[in-house]
Amino acid sequence: MAKVKICGIKRGEDVDIVNSFMPDYVGFVFAESKRKVSVEEAQKLILGLNPQIRKVGVFVNESYARVISIAKILKLDVLQFHGDEGNEYLEKFKTYEVWKAASINSKSDIEKVSLYNVNGIVVDSLDGNGNGGTGKKFDWSILKKYKNSILKPIFVAGGLNEENIQECIKELQPFGVDVSSGVESNGVKDKLKIKNFITKVRNFK
């Protein structure tokens, strides 16, 4: 069964929703985004979060010192990086589970991704700054063709929703799926969409 990450948690209501349906992970965004939260806001949200749900911090080209500070304060379980971070930087976080986000548009992208010394790869479509989080679906065919070369757990992100999630799992058999805007209405997390998304992942056969 694919793991589920609900990203972009920023309201107390979001915490109540995820506690109801128990995704495997939730993401707190500390990069520039309409879903960005401060450390103080994240602390308050985490106080109400079911401790069985793993906490992911999302960063883009952030200093090592700031990432470590946030990770320690919030007791994060996973660090997810969406910028230009290379192995020299990523390997500084050996005491944490580390995921690297990447765009895959060609075989050469697969080869590049394979070199990351991380615990998981989040495959996303990129924005104009190359940072992901666009909410747009990428071309799954290249990942499907070459994904066995990556040799790391793969999380699929970008453009997922309750309508296409079972197709995604059927086509790609990912380790996990990562959704944010696909379970929102008018820019906020939607309880019914989250319920339907998680139910479809867990009922997939």
Side-chain angles (χ1 to χ4, degrees):
M1 182 191 303
K3 304 291 187 183
V4 178
K5 173 171 168 266
I6 306 294
C7 201
I9 300 300
K10 60 179 297 184
R11 306 177 306 150
E13 296 94 324
D14 300 342
V15 172
D16 293 339
I17 293 169
V18 296
N19 284 345
S20 296
F21 303 114
M22 293 298 291
D24 302 280
Y25 305 87
V26 294
F28 298 94
V29 179
F30 299 103
E32 287 307 317
S33 164
K34 62 185 177 183
R35 301 181 186 89
K36 182 178 181 179
V37 290
S38 67
V39 178
E40 294 74 22
E41 288 168 334
Q43 274 185 302
K44 292 176 184 177
L45 295 171
I46 287 168
L47 284 174
L49 185 69
N50 187 309
Q52 294 182 38
I53 302 174
R54 302 189 74 204
K55 305 178 295 293
V56 182
V58 180
F59 302 92
V60 176
N61 297 332
E62 190 59 81
S63 72
Y64 168 80
R66 178 160 167 75
V67 174
I68 282 293
S69 173
I70 292 172
K72 288 180 177 178
I73 291 168
L74 301 180
K75 297 181 171 62
L76 296 177
D77 300 295
V78 182
L79 308 179
Q80 179 175 332
F81 296 100
H82 272 257
D84 304 314
E85 304 90 358
N87 275 333
E88 184 177 352
Y89 174 91
L90 297 168
E91 289 169 3
K92 293 179 179 179
F93 301 99
K94 287 183 176 177
T95 57
Y96 290 89
E97 183 170 339
V98 174
W99 300 348
K100 182 71 174 81
S103 172
I104 291 178
N105 298 303
S106 66
K107 185 179 179 181
S108 63
D109 290 333
I110 295 279
E111 293 166 352
K112 178 181 177 182
V113 163
S114 300
L115 297 176
Y116 286 124
N117 187 14
V118 292
N119 305 102
I121 298 293
V122 181
V123 183
D124 199 354
S125 53
L126 299 188
D127 64 14
N129 297 314
N131 294 331
T134 65
K136 296 178 181 177
K137 179 176 174 287
F138 64 90
D139 182 355
W140 292 342
S141 63
I142 296 169
L143 179 60
K144 182 179 180 181
K145 186 174 181 180
Y146 296 113
K147 70 184 182 73
N148 290 338
S149 302
I150 294 177
L151 302 177
K152 296 176 182 71
I154 295 171
F155 285 76
V156 174
L160 297 180
N161 55 54
E162 61 186 285
E163 302 299 327
N164 64 16
I165 186 56
Q166 290 195 332
E167 178 191 1
C168 171
I169 296 171
K170 179 181 178 181
E171 289 292 310
L172 300 176
Q173 294 97 48
F175 177 83
V177 292
D178 186 345
V179 66
S180 186
S181 60
V183 289
E184 293 179 351
S185 295
N186 300 315
V188 297
K189 294 294 185 277
D190 183 305
K191 183 174 183 178
L192 182 58
K193 287 184 178 181
I194 289 177
K195 176 186 178 182
N196 290 344
F197 186 92
I198 293 176
T199 298
K200 288 193 173 186
V201 172
R202 295 185 172 159
N203 287 348
F204 179 80
K205 295 178 181 176

